[in-house]
Amino acid sequence: MIVPLTHVLILAGILFALGVLCVLVWRSNVIMLLIGIEIMLNAAMLVFVGGARHWGTADGQVFALMIMAMTSAEVSLALALVVHLHRKRDTVNVDALTTGSRPGAPEPSAGPLEEGPEA
Amino acid sequence: MEAYLFYLLAAVTVIGTVLAITEKHPVHAIVYLVSSFFSLAAIFFLLAAPLIAMFEVIIYAGAVMVLFMFVIMMLDVGRSGDGLRPGLRQWLPAMLLAGVILALLGMMLAHGGWPAPGAGAAATLRDFSLTLFRQHGVAIEIISLQLLFAVVGALYFGKRRGP
Amino acid sequence: MTASDLRIVLPLLLLAGGALLALLSGGITRTERASYLVAYPATLGAALWALIAPSPAAASTVGLASDGLARLFTVFFCLMAATVLALSRTYNSERGLRGEEYPATILFTTFGMTALASATTLLSLFLGLEAMTFGLYILVGSDLGHAGSVETGLKYLLIGAFSAACMVFGIALIYCFCGTLVIGQAVQATLLPGAGSSLAMAGWSFMLIGIAFKLSLVPAHLWTPDVYEGAPAPVAGFLSGGSKGAAVLFLLRLLPAAGDAGLLRLPLWWLALLSMLTGNLAALRENRVRRLLAYSSIAHMGYVAVALVAGAAGGYQAAAYYAVAYGIISLAAFGAIAVLERTGCGATVESYRGVGSTHAFPAAVLTLALFALVGIPPTAGFTGKWLIFTAAIRAGELPLAVMGILATALSLYYYLRIVASLYFSPVAARQQPLLAPVERIALGCLAVLIIVLGAWPSPLLDLFSRCFNR
Amino acid sequence: MIYDPLDIALMLAKIALVFFVILTLAAYLVFAERKVLAWIQDRKGPNRVGPFGLLQPLADLIKLLTKEDFRPIGADKWLFYLAPAMAAIPAIMIFAVIPFGAPLRLFGHTVQLQVADLHVGLLLFVALSSLAVYGVALGGWASNSKYALLGSIRGLAQLLSYELSMGLSLVPVVMLARSFRLSDIVAAQAGCWFIVYQPLAFMIFLISIAAECKRIPFDLPEAEGELVAGFHTEYSGMRFGLFFVGEYLNIIALGGLAATFFLGGWHGPLLPPVVCFSVKVLAFAFLFIWIRGTLPRLRYDQLMHFGWKILTPLALLNILVTAWWLVLRG
């Protein structure tokens, strides 16, 4: 192994903490929140790949691949929900989601792209 | 040589991620994040997981992040000022908590209790495919059905219904 | 893939094939009728197969096994899915929730639960849990006409993805420590009192954080009331009964391999205590029925956590029994609510006033379910609680048991408030709902099960104790 | 690890050679396109600069270099400057894994005519082509212009959709060759080219790479009839030139890959391997120009429907049939 397993784990730990930080800080913005979750999952994948290298088995790599597939499914569904809500309510702000539109919430102006070209 | 490369790439990954989460504009954040994922993929390559490295680039950098960018551009998020940007009030407690997590992790790592030294040889591509299809067959079925239902769900929510 | 593999996988195949067929038939016929017609035989067939099929040798190359626990819970999940389908049909068509996606997604969710039930590796265990949660994201958000539904779907998804990330990081650390994904080996290498290292401990704590979200244990419970309120009522029942049951099963697959909760005893102890207290206290102040049931579900998961703390001293049987019992009870409660909401009952307790005399049958089922949630004999709720608290006392967790009993006494007030509002309030004029025959059958079966399981628990308990005391 | 200086020298020589050849080729492909299009349309095309207009690319280069390099108000500075490079670099990097000739014996060394013989070469190609999206997306977004943004959104959706069918069409190739390594794939075609076994996969691949290059009939991201020039509306000078050259580099690279995956790579009758390979690549380039000269542009929804409802299911079906065939053949 090129570097000690500890160093890989430290890197993964830092990434995971950064992901948690991103989720906590941006908890009102769906897109950034999802990005934070992606960072956390990448940290987990790094641990799996490091573990697979350490033990010389491929189980960890298989798990990492499955994480990727799972997260792409989650992201696509989340973004579909975001687009659906945006059409109805025009916001990506989580706080504004549960209790109707919050009075002070910034309302992004409806741009020319409201009706996306993919329709 | 490879060890230095690892530390270099690790630094790029961490810096890219830090820039991504502190950046106020989502498109810039995604560009930083893509570079971070790219160097993470290179780390996977160094850790003898070339397949995972390539899929990291194909799926994360090439598909998931592009999907994010597509939605950001289509909904025009972020152009309308930085009303969504968190202030210092949100940063401090979050950083505290993340710091605690990091410190706990660091303590646990420093505390030892290490796994037994493992095998010297790395798993090859062949090992990978054999493990995937011989031992984790049901995982493939679950994940493929989940992907199918991601499509079903996305279509369900994306469908335009009558006014 | 051998013939014995096929026999193990068959329930999964039935559910997956049923889901595909439901999608296809819905797409071709343009009505959801055909999809429902496909979905019933798929769930019932899978349940029947798990019930009667001869148990094959455990040898399997696909990462699945079918021991007693797996088969029992497969039957439970499949029957639950069939009940949810029966309860959904009329509810959905009155709410304008159309499409073949709904029954197909229910089948997919059940598929995830069943995969989890028979998993032998951490990978299939985790993926099964995630597949189930993924189906529920879609189901929770599926009520497009209802204002809150899609939003709660997104909220549930974000919370679920966060908890999955925590959980998977935990699994990664555990794998890193022990080098295997096979459940028995991994758990024994990391959780036995002598074996643990700080690395494995970190892994387990992340895993516990993740599963606490899925079980909505305090302090990871904040999403529960919103989701219960926004989801369609049958889905809320499925979520509360099925997904919680699956999350309990997730822990029941892991913990008994080490014999005891081991190092996890202390964190579980606190989670149990906080959940029981917070859930019940919050429910006291709540005036909306669904949110009230959400808080009560937090409290009930706290009881299950007590059982898990009790561990080998009969705790695992108690937890498994309570998962099944709570699943049936909450499905009955939400099924009755689904019917009553069609008559114009709103969100608050007051809006249920006088329903007892105008809609006697659903109100009676709701009352029975609430009595069972309190734990009044001879319902399944009573038996479950009795099992849990005796196991806790046997394991020497007297303070926890006492706290649990006190919390139960506290819960009497808010459950009876609903019952009182059902029966002892002036009657308002209401529209008469058409109770579809399937709904009547489903609710009747659930009610009978609540009583039967409570009065004669021994057959089920024998099965469970055979599973855990090998 | 110890590196032989001769190996390093050879590697550098190969990189330099590939660079020189493909850049020249790209420049002359522009010229060839104008000539062939003119020929199809029954006119002469560029014929003033040098004999037969052969120095036209040079004149174009001078023009592009001396043009004013401006940036629209409100444009995102760094991304605006970076985007053209992001479009061109992946196209160049793809050449690293393409084997363009049979191994040579040189100074007692066996020299692979391929810059890097990676064991996941095919996946590297898919990864790089998925990264090419960023040039289009960021270029259009950073320009702060409506047309550019619309073009880049279209580009994103299109490239993402067609990448799927492209990747799926390559799966049968891997199944037949039992390797991701491009040299193995070429070696597996020594007897019979894969196009014989996989005509459907070849057609899907061809259509998908036409969409990946954003060529007519799939040039919706830059449809000049509706979007001025799409994602690169606001670019001028050498930055525009980079987008432009990137497109032609992409054509050459994808032509080379199509030859490698389906037409036996450098295998061929009579001619030496390198020449064989070049002939195939040039034939592909000609095919693309020919298509551009004859086909009209698709409508946007037709484009998406075609990708998702026809190409992708067909590619999946093809994988299934190939798998059954391989299993039955044993």
Side-chain angles (χ1 to χ4, degrees), chain B residues 138 142, chain C residues 12 63-64 110-120 124-125 127-128:
Chain B
V138 78
I142 300 174
Chain C
L12 282 174
L64 287 181
T110 321
F111 169 84
M113 293 174 180
T114 313
L116 177 144
S118 40
T120 56
S124 43
L125 194 70
L127 286 180

Side-chain angles (χ1 to χ4, degrees), chain C residues 382-456:
Chain C
F382 167 74
T383 316
K385 276 191 180 136
W386 188 73
L387 285 172
I388 286 177
F389 294 135
T390 47
I393 291 167
R394 217 178 303 140
E397 299 289 351
L398 196 61
L400 211 52
V402 171
M403 286 309 295
I405 292 164
L406 285 181
T408 305
L410 200 64
S411 71
L412 197 62
Y413 167 73
Y414 58 83
Y415 289 127
L416 289 188
R417 228 177 81 216
I418 305 181
V419 177
S421 145
L422 283 175
Y423 289 101
F424 303 112
S425 302
V427 179
R430 285 170 188 288
Q431 66 193 70
Q432 199 69 25
L434 285 170
L435 204 59
V438 270
E439 281 180 318
R440 202 174 280 275
I441 295 170
L443 284 179
C445 285
L446 289 171
V448 169
L449 268 178
I450 292 176
I451 302 281
V452 168
L453 271 186
W456 292 281

Side-chain angles (χ1 to χ4, degrees), chain B residues 101 105 108-109 111-115 134-139 141-143 145-146 148-150 152-153 156-157 159 161, chain C residues 16 20 23 61-64 97 101 104-105 108 111 115 123-124 127 131 134 138 141-142 144 176-177 197-199 202:
Chain B
I101 291 177
L105 265 177
M108 284 176 168
L109 289 180
H111 208 265
W114 278 101
R134 294 262 165 88
Q135 289 171 28
H136 300 290
V138 78
E141 296 305 318
I142 300 174
I143 211 73
L145 212 58
Q146 180 167 350
L148 174 73
F149 271 83
V152 169
Y156 181 75
F157 291 111
K159 222 189 285 175
R161 292 170 174 80
Chain C
L20 295 182
L23 279 179
T61 55
V62 286
L64 287 181
L97 200 171
E101 290 93 345
T105 312
F108 167 63
F111 169 84
L123 178 58
S124 43
L127 286 180
F134 193 83
I138 301 176
S142 61
L144 299 177
C176 218
F177 179 75
S197 82
S198 51
L199 183 65

Side-chain angles (χ1 to χ4, degrees), chain C residues 29-82:
Chain C
T29 60
R30 301 268 165 204
T31 57
E32 65 244 36
R33 196 184 151 76
S35 321
Y36 277 97
L37 284 181
V38 171
Y40 286 123
T43 49
L44 295 177
L48 201 65
W49 179 264
L51 201 62
I52 62 167
S55 182
S60 168
T61 55
V62 286
L64 287 181
S66 80
D67 54 355
L69 200 62
R71 290 171 61 182
L72 257 169
F73 270 91
T74 303
V75 174
F76 169 61
F77 291 139
C78 291
L79 291 181
M80 178 161 239

